[in-house]
Structures are given as C-alpha cells and as structure tokens.
Amino acid sequence: MPFSFYFSVEGSNKKFILVLDPGHGGKEPGAVGAKSKEKDINLAVTLLVGDMIKKDLPDVEIIYTRNKDTTVSLLKRSQIANNAKADLFISIHANSVKGKKYVNGAEVFTYGQTENKNLEVLKRENEITYLEPEFTPESVSEFLGDDARTIIFEAMQSVFHEHSYDLASMIQNELVVQSKRGNRGVKSDNLAVLRNASMPSVLIELDFISNPDAENYMVSSKGQKQMAKSIYDAFSKYKKKYDLRMQTLEPIEASTNTVEPKSTDVKGIVYKIQILTSSTPVDKSELKGYDADYYIENGLYKYTYGASTDQKQILQLRKQVQEDFKDAFVIAFENGVRIK
C-alpha cells in the first residue's frame, strides 16, 4: 500500500490549502444521540465553516474529505490532505460518553503519544476502516508499526506541533467564549487521523451528543452557525499569523532573533527536545531537574533537552521526557540554527 510523505514549503506563492474533515459519515454514524447522529452534525458545521471561509478569505482553497453523507476511511482522510499538500487539516467531531448525560463541553486535540496501543486507538476512532478492502487489519497494523514510517510521521508531527497547538488553543477559546461551550481544554492524543497528516492538524470535539442540552444546541441552526463562526474566527486569526510569518521569513528564518544553542560542537543536523517556552527566563525549579539548554526566538526563551544526530534516539528519549513535559516535541538544528 503506497504512502506519500512531503513537507510544505512555507513562503511559496501557492494558495493556502485547508482540508476540512467532517468526522464519520455514510455507513459510520459516529456517536448517536436521542435525536441525531454525529455524522450529520459534523457535516453541517463543516460546510458552514467552509462557506464562511470561501466568502471572506478568497486566497484559501478548501478541500473537503467529504461534502455529503458518504463513507470515507480514516486513513484516506489524512491521505487526501497529504496528496493535496495541504497547509492545515481540521477534523470536526461531536463527543459522547455512556451513562453520563451531564458531561458537556468542547475540547480540541492535537497529536500526541498516549499509553494506548496504536491499533486499538485506530479501531476506536473509526471501526469502518476494517470493513474496507484496501485497509486490512494486517496492512493497518503494518502501517502503524514501529518502523521507518512511524519515525517519519513522528518527526513531522514534532515540527508541526507548535502551529497545531496554537490553532487548537484559538479554536478552544472561541468555542468557550463565543459559542459558550464548557471548557474541557486543549489535549493531545494518539489519534491516527492527526498522526498521519503531514501538516499542522487539529481534531475538534464540539460538545457531547450524549448530553440532551448540548445535543439540542448542536442540532439547532443557531448552534451550528455559532460553532462554525467560532471555528472560522479562530482559523482567520491563525491565517493572519501565518501570512505574517510568510512576509517576514526567508527560506530559513534568517530574519528572526535566534541565539545559537549552547551545544554547537556537532556539525550537521542535530535533534533536540523542546520542553518549555517562556517570555522570560525560567527558574530552575520549572525545569524539573533537567539540565536544559535554551535558545531565543522571536523574543521567547525556548528550553531544550538532549542533543543527538540520531533522530530515532531522540524520539525514544522524548517518550521519557514526556512523563514530565507531556507536550515535549523534537526540533532540529543545522550548524546551530533551527530548521523549520
């Protein structure tokens, strides 16, 4: 089964490509409420978001993983984004929990490792994957195995983590403030639809379809428009920041105020783990005993731990570091300058 990998070249003159992904669909309804199905809510809100962006942001090209009630496999969703060389991937869902009708609130996910087994997480996310002939359990297991593909995707998600988290935070804030959803925060999880996307990506859980009040809101025209506007407003802010970066960046951020890290004795590409970012120097207690280096970028102090030319080795070290810094991610330097 062929898989393609690429890195978007920031600063090119191409249109900004946004892939919008309404979760589930067709034979896979997703969560089911008292009066609605998740797949329908996801699609309705997604199409509204797309319409708002098309109207106000003509330099954005919208690609939908589905624009009607059709079945799209989990892996194909991220593959659509990868093949389109998208700049951003947004997956829209509704949440559910059994037997707890009082649970409510929005939450937005970025990709991150958990204790769950990859194949089990994938099955939980979208069981319809296993009904499609091109994705057998064996091929999915192979795809998610601890091999070269895993290392490549891990490295790509490390590069995109900052942008994903930035967007996720803005979406969460808009859903809480503007749409008045409960605040369940920004989280990371080993979600395959994000894990396999080679660009910044987020998964939105609008609210709980298992909560009668939240379901009534999500199926209403008013609720869907408010949530779509929240997502649109967050994306619009993200896009403005993206455009500003494009105006100020040279091929390798030569215009930013970057201080070389302390460890510059190794030539070539060196991988490090970024554990903390702060607008001011941090107290040693915040580093939790780690002998961390730091560099300064865009006026921010960015603390790193470890240094290796072996990408696989630094990815393994990151798993240990995440016990203390759950959002730690891998970055790369070449001759002392960070590679974006």
Side-chain angles (χ1 to χ4, degrees), residues 104-239:
N104 69 88
E107 54 192 348
V108 185
F109 287 88
T110 61
Y111 169 74
Q113 286 289 351
T114 66
E115 296 300 316
N116 297 303
K117 297 294 183 180
N118 291 345
L119 195 58
E120 293 174 0
V121 172
L122 178 58
K123 187 174 181 180
R124 182 194 70 205
E125 286 177 332
N126 196 345
E127 293 184 359
I128 200 68
T129 298
Y130 296 93
L131 302 179
E132 300 197 2
E134 72 266 36
F135 294 119
T136 65
E138 291 76 18
S139 66
V140 172
S141 181
E142 177 188 357
F143 179 68
L144 294 176
D146 186 18
D147 57 11
R149 294 190 189 95
T150 299
I151 295 170
I152 291 172
F153 276 124
E154 289 262 346
M156 288 193 296
Q157 287 301 335
S158 295
V159 171
F160 301 131
H161 181 274
E162 281 184 283
H163 298 318
S164 299
Y165 188 84
D166 192 27
L167 175 63
S169 298
M170 288 188 282
I171 292 174
Q172 181 68 17
N173 182 68
E174 292 294 338
L175 286 172
V176 171
V177 175
Q178 185 177 157
S179 296
K180 295 179 171 48
R181 300 299 89 199
N183 189 0
R184 295 178 61 84
V186 174
K187 301 176 181 179
S188 296
D189 205 346
N190 190 2
L191 304 175
V193 73
L194 301 183
R195 181 178 184 271
N196 299 334
S198 54
M199 73 284 303
S201 54
V202 299
L203 186 146
I204 305 165
E205 295 282 8
L206 298 167
D207 209 326
F208 283 76
I209 198 173
S210 50
N211 180 301
D213 292 336
E215 181 185 19
N216 288 335
Y217 177 81
M218 289 190 290
V219 299
S220 71
S221 175
K222 178 183 177 181
Q224 291 175 358
K225 288 178 182 177
Q226 283 183 338
M227 291 185 294
K229 182 66 162 51
S230 295
I231 297 168
Y232 163 79
D233 285 348
F235 170 74
S236 181
K237 292 175 184 177
Y238 176 90
K239 177 65 165 51

Side-chain angles (χ1 to χ4, degrees), residues 35 60 72 95 112 141 184 188 224 237 240 243 246 268:
K35 61 173 69 173
V60 177
V72 183
N95 218 332
S141 181
R184 295 178 61 84
S188 296
Q224 291 175 358
K237 292 175 184 177
K240 286 179 182 177
D243 290 340
M246 296 308 99

Side-chain angles (χ1 to χ4, degrees), residues 243-309:
D243 290 340
L244 184 61
R245 289 200 308 271
M246 296 308 99
Q247 293 170 12
T248 58
L249 290 185
E250 306 230 349
I252 301 181
E253 280 200 318
S255 64
T256 60
N257 179 23
T258 302
V259 175
E260 292 186 1
K262 297 177 188 175
S263 301
T264 57
D265 55 321
V266 182
K267 300 298 181 182
I269 296 179
V270 177
Y271 301 96
K272 297 190 172 192
I273 304 164
Q274 187 160 311
I275 59 175
L276 194 63
T277 299
S278 175
S279 59
T280 59
V282 303
D283 186 87
K284 285 187 177 181
S285 62
E286 295 184 56
L287 299 175
K288 302 180 181 180
Y290 285 81
D291 183 16
D293 292 340
Y294 72 88
Y295 64 103
I296 301 175
E297 185 178 65
N298 296 328
L300 295 174
Y301 291 79
K302 300 188 175 183
Y303 290 82
T304 67
Y305 176 73
S308 176
T309 57

